[in-house]
Amino acid sequence: MNRENQGYPNFPARPPPPSSSSPFTSAPPPGVPLQSSGPETVGFRPQTRPFTPSGPPMAPPPVGAMRPVQPPLVSQIPGQGIRPPPPPSTAYGPPGGGSFQRFPTPPPPSGPPPLPQTLAGHFSPPMSLPPQQQSMTSGVPGGYASPLGTGFQQSMPPVNPSYPGVVGGPQPSFNKQVLQGPPVPFQSASQVPPSSYPPQTGGFAQHPGQQNMNPGYAPPTSNVQGLAEDFNSLSVANIPGSLEPGLDRASFPRPLDSDVEPNSFAEMYPMNCHSRYLRLTTSAIPSSQSLASRWHLPLGAVVCPLAEAPEGEEVPLIDFGSSGIIRCRRCRTYVNPYVTFTDSGRKWRCNICSMLNDVPGEYFSHLDASGRRMDMDQRPELTKGSVEIIAPTEYMVRPPMPPIYFFLIDVSFSAAKSGMLQVAAQTIKSCLDNLPGYPRTQIGFITYDSTLHFYNMKSSLSQPQMMVVSDLDDIFIPLPDDLLVNLSESRNVVEAFLDSLPLMFQDNANVESAFGPALKAAYMVMNQLGGKLLIFQNSLPSLGAGRLKLRGEDTRVYGTDKEYTLRVAEDNFYKQMAPDCIKFQIGINVYAFSDKYTDIASLGTLAKYTGGQAYYYPGFQSSVHGDKLRHELARDLTRETAWESVMRIRCGKGIRFSSYHGNFMLRSTDLIALPTVDCDKAYAMQLTLEETLLTTPTVYFQVALLYTDSCGERRIRVHTAVAPVVTDLGEMYRQADTGSIVSVYTRLAIEKTLVGKLDDARNAIQQKIVKALREYRNLHSVQHRLGSRLIYPESLKFLPLYGLAICKSTPLQGGPADASLDERCAAGFTMMALPVKKLLKLLYPNLFRVDEWLLKPSADLDDLKDVLRRVPLAAESLDSRGLYIYDDGFRLVLWFGRMLSLDIAKNLLGADFAAELSRVTLQEQENGMSKKLMRLIKKVRENDPSYHPMCFLVRQGEQPREGFLLLRHLIEDQMGGSTSYVDWILQIHRQVQQNA
């Protein structure tokens, strides 16, 4: 050992430790082959290839190489004191001071090379160390350590180590060994509280679902074993000898299994409400403002208070009776599963503000030995995260209103010619028996062209009486008491009117539209009771108040600072009408039909601020779009609706909801006004930490929706959830919910298009993703050799792709040539209200091949996932010999490959199999294959009844129809100047590496 290792510090010789305290004995002389025996129980695996020395001694590594030049880490074992630093050794395995230590590599030994040793299995999956001081027993970064016992040794199979100089024999346990590491950037100043997470048993196991995203990539072989990685990665290194990145598109993460919700906390907190009602963007709340500032993703939630529950999972109905509703006196939180009872059951402590409240005598129950109420199992409000409470009279400012449906119908020339009048009248008539609230339901009609037409439907009449008002500047209401009638009493008159409506205006040549005055008239009729106003608009409003002008043709505005003005209401009339309707509990749904510019930006404002919805049917023709209008109008009329509603979300001390996004109007800082709300509406909101440091281990959330149901009963829908407070940024990333994050991002991006350019909105999405992934990279860059890899947590593996999908969605894509102004605005209003799962499906639709399935014997359609497998949204997924279905929830496109079997085409299309498919309508043929396909399409539509996807047929090569219907929606491809998935990943990776 008289050699001098140049470039490395010389350490004094280390006294030999006791044999029982070290996993390694001293190295054998050079030239002695490796001998190994006994199981290997240290917390790392040796390299998979042996070291073969050749040539002169190795030169010291340059500064910045993975091998550190500072003094090595020193491990301290209780009872032995601090060991002196070890001298340079000729052994190529780690010294006996502790696992995962890194020491300077000595010059290679002279003599014959060691015998090759191979390691069965694959390269050991790495794992990162947290910034906090932590026991080496932890398998999860973030300070959640679990003791190593026999489970750890069982999780690591016995191997023959390939480290020269390591001899066999039993190895000591490392249960009490603590690694004293250097400080890591981004370490929280606060002490990590005891974790409430379930301990991870076993050794350094691979994270569930983790896999090497690029099969061709393997970490470089080194004498220093890398730490286990708990993240996913994509290698974006260049191909050797080329400037092209070596990317394998097949390895890119894609949500082919639809929305995947995190379930770790659902298992830990089984009394939380279901995620269909409330989804947090991350189930780990940051403990401090500084930690929240490093979480560059949105911190918030998506709420769908009336989401449809599967059969058997209905929300329980609670009637507190004479005791009254049990609420906190201070913060007004409703009693829920997370309150605690004390003082022998006479008091209960609020879980949100910690206030101690008295228990009413009628609600009293004794406690058992564990502090639980004796009647806990009979109290759903104490065991269920979602309940519905019957509200007493003090929760009413007036008697509950009956369900009111008022129809405002354009009867101008285009409305009659397109067939809209006939389809709408027939659908309304067919739904009369199913309108909610019978026999209290009320109904009324106003039609308009250049004049206003009112209809007296008094029950004593045999036919409705029509009254025409031509003065558009001074609107008055004739017979105000007979325009809104009880449906059960005036049923015959209403049906007679709907039968005669298409005939009355079938020869109408009036092309004018007095929409503004008609809206005022409807408001004057409804402002006594409120209700739902359904508007059927077929042309651009041209007369009276609220008349609009053609403004979407000037493409020179795009790309300028005034571009956004095209996407907001032109006339203040619409902005002023919305608050007036809110005040009197009037919710508005807009149905727009036109092949010309209709200014959806202005009309949709009414739906946006009154909690309604905008439906758009461009170029409506009853023969083509009739089924879609029938289904969606029937759904709107018959689905259960909550009337005169308000919603508030309460959360624990130190945090608050700071912004809200969706179709509604804020009545105060945190009270959302919703004249009507239903199961197809969702709302997003963002959280802010009010205090510098949260001191509670958990944070509670409670959503309360006060509404009147269709039967006239005042109710409160309550959803309660809890989430832990963490001090580790890595844990926030691990518990992130991509679906909820994407929902918030989508709403923020659409709102940004209303105040700026489309480019600004798209760039903002990309920059937010880049900042988040850069912060995540910084968490691991000290402990791992990341090189040219793009790393991301398992929970966010689909976030880059969804970010690209948002940028390519209709509200944000391209410029004026990529989508009409009306189409862009209508899509924006729709996406602002969609629940998480429906929005994700719209952003990354289903594409699956069906020709092979159609040729198989008849199969059950109960589980479509087992029958049809989704394929990536890229042109290379389309086989010219196949038949594919594209489904985004709003449209179904059947793509016929150019080389598809003629037998399949004949069976599905009949005699039209060779015709141009734009003229062909898919109909059921008299053969098993056609019936099987029609059953499949019916099943797909039934899976999501909120919208009715129209079915389009297109053959490969039919341009521009193929490009318009399908190719431009293959978001992984580069189309019309847009970015492909590969280029998007490369852009994100380059920006992540900058200043990382």
Side-chain angles (χ1 to χ4, degrees):
M1 300 297 289
N2 292 329
R3 288 183 188 173
E4 181 176 356
N5 193 358
Q6 298 180 357
Y8 291 89
N10 293 323
F11 299 98
R14 178 176 57 188
S19 58
S20 61
S21 63
S22 173
F24 301 104
T25 59
S26 60
V32 178
L34 171 69
Q35 301 292 331
S36 174
S37 63
E40 177 70 6
T41 59
V42 290
F44 51 83
R45 294 185 182 177
Q47 300 296 337
T48 59
R49 66 177 78 163
F51 178 80
T52 305
S54 63
M58 297 171 58
V63 176
M66 291 304 296
R67 202 169 290 126
V69 296
Q70 69 270 19
L73 308 180
V74 179
S75 180
Q76 180 177 355
I77 301 179
Q80 294 186 2
I82 300 179
R83 295 179 178 176
S89 171
T90 58
Y92 294 99
S99 61
F100 292 101
Q101 297 193 26
R102 295 177 177 173
F103 293 99
T105 302
S110 59
L115 296 177
Q117 300 286 334
T118 59
L119 179 64
H122 299 285
F123 192 86
S124 176
M127 185 205 86
S128 65
L129 287 175
Q132 311 293 346
Q133 181 178 353
Q134 159 181 334
S135 169
M136 289 303 297
T137 62
S138 174
V140 180
Y144 309 112
S146 62
L148 290 181
T150 56
F152 173 79
Q153 298 181 6
Q154 293 171 358
S155 68
M156 301 291 292
V159 297
N160 293 325
S162 59
Y163 294 95
V166 181
V167 300
Q171 306 296 340
S173 171
F174 285 84
N175 288 1
K176 298 182 180 180
Q177 185 169 343
V178 177
L179 179 66
Q180 303 289 342
V184 178
F186 309 111
Q187 179 171 340
S188 174
S190 59
Q191 184 67 27
V192 181
S195 172
S196 61
Y197 299 95
Q200 174 174 341
T201 58
F204 301 102
Q206 189 169 356
H207 191 277
Q210 177 180 343
Q211 58 181 349
N212 191 352
M213 299 310 297
N214 189 347
Y217 172 80
T221 303
S222 168
N223 291 332
V224 180
Q225 174 65 41
L227 301 180
E229 297 175 355
D230 68 336
F231 51 78
N232 291 356
S233 65
L234 277 175
S235 175
V236 291
N238 291 341
I239 299 175
S242 171
L243 296 178
E244 296 295 326
L247 292 174
D248 179 14
R249 290 189 59 166
S251 67
F252 280 27
R254 296 176 176 90
L256 300 183
D257 295 326
S258 69
D259 180 29
V260 179
E261 302 176 29
N263 58 7
S264 57
F265 287 107
E267 298 172 355
M268 184 180 302
Y269 300 106
M271 292 188 293
N272 272 7
C273 65
H274 195 277
S275 60
R276 71 174 70 95
Y277 305 114
L278 172 67
R279 287 179 68 164
L280 299 172
T281 56
T282 176
S283 297
I285 306 301
S287 63
S288 63
Q289 292 178 349
S290 61
L291 186 60
S293 66
R294 291 164 49 203
W295 166 259
H296 295 285
L297 299 171
L299 184 63
V302 178
V303 175
C304 186
L306 294 179
E308 287 183 302
E311 187 175 353
E313 298 182 25
E314 292 82 2
V315 176
L317 183 63
I318 308 298
D319 186 358
F320 284 102
S322 58
S323 65
I325 296 179
I326 312 300
R327 300 181 68 180
C328 176
R329 296 198 314 273
R330 178 192 294 163
C331 68
R332 308 303 290 162
T333 295
Y334 296 89
V335 68
N336 60 79
Y338 298 105
V339 304
T340 55
F341 289 86
T342 61
D343 193 14
S344 301
R346 288 186 288 269
K347 293 185 181 294
W348 64 275
R349 186 176 299 279
C350 175
N351 55 308
I352 286 185
C353 71
S354 300
M355 176 77 174
L356 206 58
N357 298 272
D358 294 328
V359 175
E362 299 86 348
Y363 196 72
F364 173 79
S365 173
H366 292 285
L367 307 182
D368 61 13
S370 62
R372 295 176 76 252
R373 285 173 59 106
M374 303 293 289
D375 64 347
M376 180 77 76
D377 295 334
Q378 288 79 42
R379 294 285 186 182
E381 70 273 15
L382 301 179
T383 57
K384 304 288 186 181
S386 297
V387 294
E388 190 141 303
I389 303 172
I390 297 177
T393 55
E394 56 261 31
Y395 287 80
M396 309 176 191
V397 295
R398 63 176 183 178
M401 58 173 281
I404 294 175
Y405 295 88
F406 201 87
F407 299 89
L408 193 61
I409 305 175
D410 181 358
V411 292
S412 60
F413 170 76
S414 57
K417 181 182 178 181
S418 66
M420 182 274 288
L421 272 182
Q422 184 175 5
V423 174
Q426 291 175 351
T427 305
I428 295 171
K429 181 181 178 181
S430 67
C431 294
L432 293 179
D433 288 330
N434 299 318
L435 291 180
Y438 181 86
R440 303 169 63 247
T441 309
Q442 297 188 20
I443 194 168
F445 297 87
I446 291 179
T447 61
Y448 61 95
D449 43 27
S450 60
T451 58
L452 308 185
H453 319 133
F454 298 86
Y455 299 91
N456 179 5
M457 296 188 181
K458 195 172 182 179
S459 58
S460 59
L461 301 175
S462 59
Q463 293 289 332
Q465 293 180 348
M466 176 177 172
M467 295 158 286
V468 179
V469 175
S470 57
D471 186 354
L472 304 181
D473 296 326
D474 186 14
I475 301 296
F476 73 96
I477 305 299
L479 301 175
D481 296 334
D482 297 328
L483 300 180
L484 198 59
V485 296
N486 184 282
L487 177 59
S488 61
E489 297 174 358
S490 302
R491 176 67 177 266
N492 293 334
V493 185
V494 171
E495 289 185 350
F497 167 75
L498 293 173
D499 288 336
S500 61
L501 179 61
L503 299 176
M504 283 192 295
F505 298 98
Q506 64 180 355
D507 298 324
N508 189 8
N510 195 325
V511 296
E512 300 294 342
S513 173
F515 171 70
L519 179 62
K520 277 188 172 182
Y523 165 76
M524 295 169 68
V525 174
M526 300 179 67
N527 62 11
Q528 297 298 319
L529 293 176
K532 179 182 287 189
L533 175 62
L534 293 93
I535 297 172
F536 297 81
Q537 177 66 20
N538 223 91
S539 58
L540 189 69
S542 58
L543 296 177
R547 60 180 174 271
L548 301 170
K549 60 185 179 182
L550 192 64
R551 57 177 178 143
E553 300 293 330
D554 189 3
T555 58
R556 293 174 299 177
V557 179
Y558 284 88
T560 68
D561 293 338
K562 295 184 178 180
E563 173 188 328
Y564 75 92
T565 59
L566 299 177
R567 297 185 285 271
V568 297
E570 176 189 7
D571 196 323
N572 286 332
F573 168 79
Y574 297 95
K575 297 179 182 178
Q576 294 167 356
M577 283 299 300
D580 291 341
C581 292
I582 285 282
K583 180 179 179 181
F584 292 101
Q585 303 295 341
I586 301 172
I588 300 176
N589 284 2
V590 177
Y591 292 80
F593 318 83
S594 181
D595 54 354
K596 299 177 182 179
Y597 179 66
T598 316
D599 202 347
I600 302 297
S602 297
L603 301 181
T605 302
L606 298 169
K608 175 181 179 180
Y609 291 111
T610 61
Q613 204 163 342
Y615 299 86
Y616 182 48
Y617 305 85
F620 180 87
Q621 293 296 326
S622 60
S623 59
V624 178
H625 306 85
D627 287 343
K628 182 174 177 65
L629 175 58
R630 289 187 190 95
H631 176 92
E632 293 175 354
L633 178 55
R635 168 84 173 177
D636 188 11
L637 294 175
T638 59
R639 66 187 167 194
E640 184 57 45
T641 301
W643 309 86
E644 48 185 350
S645 313
V646 290
M647 183 172 69
R648 176 175 275 127
I649 304 177
R650 297 176 174 87
C651 47
K653 183 181 179 182
I655 63 175
R656 65 180 178 88
F657 285 101
S658 57
S659 62
Y660 301 83
H661 313 277
N663 292 353
F664 57 82
M665 182 171 284
L666 279 177
R667 183 173 293 178
S668 62
T669 56
D670 63 343
L671 187 64
I672 299 175
L674 299 166
T676 60
V677 62
D678 52 68
C679 59
D680 297 326
K681 305 291 192 306
Y683 312 93
M685 48 220 65
Q686 291 185 277
L687 275 171
T688 298
L689 270 70
E690 290 185 307
E691 298 183 357
T692 306
L693 189 66
L694 297 182
T695 57
T696 56
T698 55
V699 170
Y700 298 91
F701 302 91
Q702 188 174 84
V703 180
L705 177 75
L706 174 63
Y707 71 97
T708 301
D709 73 349
S710 296
C711 297
E713 195 170 56
R714 201 70 171 152
R715 294 184 176 183
I716 308 167
R717 175 72 65 97
V718 179
H719 304 293
T720 308
V722 61
V725 175
V726 300
T727 58
D728 177 34
L729 184 62
E731 190 63 26
M732 293 182 65
Y733 279 106
R734 279 187 290 276
Q735 301 303 332
D737 182 348
T738 298
S740 183
I741 291 172
V742 170
S743 294
V744 177
Y745 267 166
T746 301
R747 287 164 169 82
L748 292 176
I750 292 174
E751 289 177 352
K752 196 170 184 65
T753 65
L754 305 180
V755 294
K757 296 184 289 187
L758 294 177
D759 283 340
D760 295 341
R762 291 191 291 260
N763 292 336
I765 289 291
Q766 188 179 51
Q767 289 306 310
K768 289 174 181 177
I769 295 175
V770 167
K771 288 181 180 179
L773 295 183
R774 181 185 297 161
E775 189 74 39
Y776 187 75
R777 184 183 182 90
N778 290 338
L779 286 178
H780 300 86
S781 59
V782 174
Q783 299 161 336
H784 299 278
R785 290 165 292 183
L786 302 179
S788 58
R789 288 187 292 165
L790 176 67
I791 70 166
Y792 45 85
E794 170 73 17
S795 60
L796 296 177
K797 61 184 178 182
F798 302 136
L799 182 61
L801 179 56
Y802 278 125
L804 176 62
I806 295 173
C807 294
K808 288 190 173 186
S809 63
T810 303
L812 279 81
Q813 67 177 349
D818 295 287
S820 70
L821 189 56
D822 279 344
E823 184 183 6
R824 198 182 295 273
C825 294
F829 288 128
T830 299
M831 294 171 67
M832 288 291 289
L834 286 180
V836 174
K837 290 184 180 295
K838 296 175 184 177
L839 178 61
L840 295 184
K841 182 179 179 180
L842 177 60
L843 291 175
Y844 196 88
N846 299 337
L847 179 64
F848 41 80
R849 185 171 182 172
V850 295
D851 58 295
E852 297 172 345
W853 174 74
L854 290 175
L855 293 173
K856 294 180 181 179
S858 181
D860 191 5
L861 295 178
D862 288 343
D863 191 353
L864 293 180
K865 290 183 180 180
D866 294 339
V867 176
L868 304 171
R869 295 186 178 274
R870 297 174 65 182
V871 297
L873 285 173
E876 64 182 19
S877 300
L878 300 174
D879 187 345
S880 60
R881 297 166 297 180
L883 173 67
Y884 292 80
I885 292 182
Y886 168 90
D887 170 30
D888 64 5
F890 293 81
R891 293 180 311 156
L892 288 174
V893 179
L894 265 67
W895 186 86
F896 290 76
R898 187 184 293 111
M899 300 174 63
L900 179 67
S901 168
L902 287 179
D903 292 337
I904 296 179
K906 288 180 180 179
N907 285 332
L908 299 181
L909 303 177
D912 297 328
F913 74 95
E916 184 180 345
L917 295 186
S918 61
R919 301 190 180 99
V920 178
T921 301
L922 185 65
Q923 297 178 347
E924 186 172 309
Q925 307 294 327
E926 292 300 324
N927 61 75
M929 185 178 295
S930 175
K931 293 179 179 179
K932 192 174 180 181
L933 178 64
M934 297 305 290
R935 288 200 307 270
L936 171 63
I937 292 176
K938 181 181 178 182
K939 183 74 173 179
V940 170
R941 285 171 170 165
E942 289 175 349
N943 282 348
D944 182 9
S946 55
Y947 292 91
H948 182 81
M950 288 181 57
C951 190
F952 298 91
L953 309 181
V954 64
R955 183 175 282 113
Q956 183 181 8
E958 283 184 358
Q959 297 298 344
R961 182 178 171 83
E962 181 189 20
F964 176 78
L965 289 176
L966 180 63
L967 297 184
R968 74 168 184 165
H969 300 290
L970 301 179
I971 65 171
E972 295 190 22
D973 292 338
Q974 183 175 358
M975 292 291 294
S978 62
T979 305
S980 69
Y981 190 15
V982 173
D983 293 338
W984 177 262
I985 290 293
L986 289 175
Q987 291 176 15
I988 289 178
H989 176 62
R990 294 190 188 105
Q991 295 183 57
V992 166
Q993 284 193 312
Q994 294 174 1
N995 303 324

